[in-house]
Amino acid sequence: MRSLFHGKEHLAPLPHSIDILRSLIGGTLSILILILLSKLTDNLFIMAPFGASCVILYAVSQSPLAQPRNVILGHFVSAFIGLIFLKIFGVSAISIALSVGCAIAAMQILRCVHPPAGANPLVILLTANSIQYEWSFLFFPVLLGSIALVLVAWLVNNIKTDKKWPTYGLAFIHSKKPNE
């Protein structure tokens, strides 16, 4: 425990300036677009976990956690589970905790783990007393908001870089075998 505070470990290297600038622009543009879409359409396109998604989309964009499948399906699956728990079991300590655990397990089974999406059941169940959640929440903001994030990330993450993003897309129809 003592070494935790004495700095004997090595920090991750400082990112290149262009990568920091890309994160600044990408995170700002992503959230701004979601806010503007919400105002222009009178539909909600933004929710708090999308801020954390931006961290992953721009700061560690080559990670499997930052790929379109993980962002879009991870958010969708987790929000779906949150809504199921809300509609069937209501809000209780056990339903809140179990909904998060089920969301994590479902993302693992479906191979779409995206850590910020693990907050979706929490957002839904912890705010259910002040917000009336309908199934349309899965489309506005969850599905369309996460798609918008991925589209902005595609644009920003491919500016002035040799590392093209995404590493893989949605992989709905075909998934390569490890040796392909």
Side-chain angles (χ1 to χ4, degrees):
M1 181 70 169
R2 184 180 161 150
S3 67
L4 180 67
F5 298 104
H6 281 98
K8 292 181 180 179
E9 53 285 326
H10 297 281
L11 292 175
L14 185 66
H16 296 288
S17 297
I18 188 71
D19 294 327
I20 295 170
L21 183 60
R22 188 177 294 110
S23 294
L24 171 66
I25 292 168
T28 302
L29 189 59
S30 294
I31 299 303
L32 180 62
I33 286 172
L34 293 177
I35 290 170
L36 292 175
L37 283 171
S38 296
K39 288 184 179 192
L40 289 172
T41 66
D42 287 329
N43 288 302
L44 193 61
F45 275 80
I46 193 163
M47 59 182 186
F50 286 166
S53 291
C54 287
V55 174
I56 291 176
L57 281 168
Y58 300 109
V60 288
S61 63
Q62 297 302 309
S63 165
L65 305 172
Q67 302 309 305
R69 175 185 179 86
N70 299 65
V71 175
I72 295 167
L73 288 180
H75 276 297
F76 189 84
V77 165
S78 292
F80 180 71
I81 289 170
L83 286 173
I84 286 175
F85 271 81
L86 175 64
K87 303 286 186 188
I88 295 174
F89 303 110
V91 178
S92 69
I94 193 69
S95 69
I96 293 168
L98 191 55
S99 68
V100 171
C102 287
I104 295 167
M107 286 189 288
Q108 287 178 295
I109 290 166
L110 296 171
R111 296 188 298 169
C112 61
V113 174
H114 184 64
N120 293 352
L122 287 175
V123 167
I124 292 166
L125 290 163
L126 292 176
T127 61
N129 62 347
S130 60
I131 296 174
Q132 180 68 33
Y133 286 101
E134 301 298 333
W135 293 105
S136 60
F137 183 78
L138 290 173
F139 299 100
F140 293 103
V142 177
L143 184 60
L144 293 175
S146 60
I147 290 171
L149 285 178
V150 165
L151 291 174
V152 175
W154 176 80
L155 176 70
V156 173
N157 283 334
N158 287 306
I159 296 173
K160 290 192 171 235
T161 185
D162 294 331
K163 299 178 201 168
K164 293 303 176 193
W165 188 88
T167 305
Y168 58 89
L170 296 175
F172 283 140
I173 298 171
H174 180 270
S175 178
K176 289 184 178 184
K177 292 180 176 53
N179 293 334
E180 282 186 43

